[in-house]
Amino acid sequence: MDAHALSILCITLLISTLVHPTISELCNPEDKRVLLQIKRAFNDPYILASWKPDADCCGWYCVSCHPTTHRINSLTIFAGELSGQIPPGVGDLPYLETLEFHKLSNLTGPLQPSIAKLKSLKFLRVSWTNISGSVPDFLSQLKNLTFLDLSFNDLTGSIPSSLSLLPNLDAIHLDRNKLTGPIPDSFGAFHSKVPGLYLSHNQLSGPIPASLANMDFNVVDLSRNKLEGDASIIFGSNKTTQSVDLSRNLLEFDLSKAEFPESLTSLDVNHNKIRGSLPTELTTLNLQYLNVSYNRLCGEIPVGGKLQSFDYTSYFHNRCLCGAPLESCK
């Protein structure tokens, strides 16, 4: 090959390299552009150091690509030195199925409205951050969502009733925020099967909606709020609920009239104003955890099942509850 032909070949290879930096690169160019934009918006944090323009973004830390289409389908940023607000660019990854920002104490601002564009999103977790503002109504547009976790944040305001419109939701975590107002009545009409309902450690108030009697939640955690009234509607002999935590509220109802599902393995109602006696049907349940302390219960603790396996702290500070493991009845 003469010098002229060799020169032309070198120029062709150089142009090819510039146009296609990595011939084997799988990452979609538009997805890469958006990711680099997100990196710049976060001021090039160390946790995203692998996000380099000359590297295949399908191999970058915190992201993954679909095995066939090679479009970005997951963005998961966990426990790094990252600060600022969620960039609008997250909404420009149209094939995203998983979006997670977790244990990022310097992540602030509201939930980004552009998230509403992610119609393929199934898993959304923004937790253990300092995001603020309200739980946005636009989340109800994410019809493929199966898991929603906004726990351990600084969210305020009321819970939007539109969340019950999500048809595929398996779990909703809004616990450990500063949410106020009532539990939406619409939460008794979830279109999904049996979502786990986690609303603990907020400032929710008012009665538990009667509509919740229609729902067969697998887990209900409403603890540490300011909820009032009758919570027995959450139970039911025909349900498959496994765990119920209603502790540290202002609930007031007759426990002896509650009907418990056979599936129940954990029951915590401590620090309320619950009256009545412990129903004997509790002896038929395979309880792994029980706490009815600090209420207004009376009568003898039924003998049998697991009830005597719990220590006195599960029962103490009631009006006139007696029998093992408390003092014998007189």
Side-chain angles (χ1 to χ4, degrees):
M1 184 181 293
D2 59 33
H4 179 68
L6 185 61
S7 176
I8 292 175
L9 178 60
C10 288
I11 293 171
T12 303
L13 288 172
L14 177 62
I15 293 172
S16 176
T17 302
L18 291 173
V19 175
H20 305 286
T22 307
I23 294 174
S24 62
E25 182 165 341
L26 299 174
C27 178
N28 179 275
E30 180 60 19
D31 287 350
K32 176 183 264 192
R33 184 192 67 79
V34 170
L35 289 172
L36 290 172
Q37 185 182 66
I38 290 171
K39 181 184 179 182
R40 285 193 296 273
F42 279 133
N43 295 314
D44 298 327
Y46 178 74
I47 194 173
L48 304 182
S50 66
W51 293 22
K52 297 177 180 178
D54 59 350
D56 183 358
C57 73
C58 286
W60 288 356
Y61 185 59
C62 300
V63 300
S64 66
C65 291
H66 188 277
T68 305
T69 65
H70 309 302
R71 299 302 299 260
I72 298 295
N73 63 2
S74 175
L75 173 58
T76 301
I77 303 179
F78 179 94
E81 290 298 321
L82 182 148
S83 60
Q85 300 190 17
I86 298 173
V90 297
D92 297 324
L93 296 168
Y95 293 90
L96 213 57
E97 296 180 9
T98 297
L99 178 60
E100 180 172 11
F101 295 96
H102 182 56
K103 289 194 174 181
L104 301 164
S105 59
N106 292 322
L107 190 68
T108 58
L111 273 172
Q112 180 53 243
S114 65
I115 290 173
K117 296 191 290 183
L118 301 174
K119 302 305 181 185
S120 298
L121 202 64
K122 296 178 181 178
F123 183 103
L124 175 59
R125 171 180 278 154
V126 183
S127 60
W128 294 76
T129 76
N130 273 304
I131 64 163
S132 56
S134 61
V135 177
D137 191 63
F138 66 69
L139 294 174
S140 63
Q141 300 173 35
L142 303 173
K143 300 301 184 185
N144 287 306
L145 209 62
T146 61
F147 184 86
L148 174 62
D149 184 358
L150 302 178
S151 62
F152 289 85
N153 291 306
D154 229 358
L155 298 172
T156 55
S158 58
I159 300 172
S161 60
S162 59
L163 293 182
S164 65
L165 299 175
L166 292 168
N168 299 300
L169 206 60
D170 289 329
I172 176 169
H173 291 258
L174 301 178
D175 45 307
R176 294 181 185 266
N177 281 285
K178 297 175 181 175
L179 301 175
T180 54
I183 298 172
D185 188 64
S186 66
F187 275 28
F190 269 99
H191 294 204
S192 53
K193 34 186 188 279
V194 283
L197 184 64
Y198 300 85
L199 304 179
S200 73
H201 293 76
N202 280 290
Q203 298 167 29
L204 302 175
S205 58
I208 292 176
S211 62
L212 293 195
N214 304 321
M215 289 302 300
D216 187 7
F217 297 106
N218 57 353
V219 175
V220 179
D221 187 354
L222 308 180
S223 62
R224 293 178 183 267
N225 281 290
K226 300 174 182 177
L227 299 168
E228 304 170 0
D230 188 357
S232 62
I233 51 173
I234 288 173
F235 307 110
S237 57
N238 60 334
K239 297 187 179 183
T240 59
T241 305
Q242 297 173 10
S243 176
V244 175
D245 189 346
L246 305 173
S247 62
R248 295 181 181 271
N249 278 287
L250 304 169
L251 300 168
E252 200 169 346
F253 61 97
D254 188 338
L255 192 65
S256 63
K257 295 180 179 178
E259 295 184 352
F260 297 98
E262 292 181 5
S263 53
L264 195 67
T265 59
S266 179
L267 174 63
D268 192 347
V269 295
N270 80 79
H271 285 83
N272 279 288
K273 301 176 183 179
I274 299 170
R275 62 187 184 278
S277 58
L278 291 177
T280 55
E281 67 177 292
L282 289 176
T283 62
T284 67
L285 304 180
N286 185 28
L287 289 172
Q288 306 300 310
Y289 182 82
L290 176 69
N291 193 339
V292 297
S293 65
Y294 290 91
N295 278 291
R296 298 174 180 178
L297 297 170
C298 272
E300 186 170 4
I301 297 170
V303 176
K306 296 289 187 72
L307 296 191
Q308 276 66 48
S309 67
F310 304 110
D311 69 29
Y312 76 100
T313 59
S314 294
Y315 301 103
F316 70 168
H317 290 281
N318 273 287
R319 180 169 286 163
C320 46
L321 204 59
C322 58
L326 298 179
E327 292 183 9
S328 61
C329 299
K330 298 176 181 177

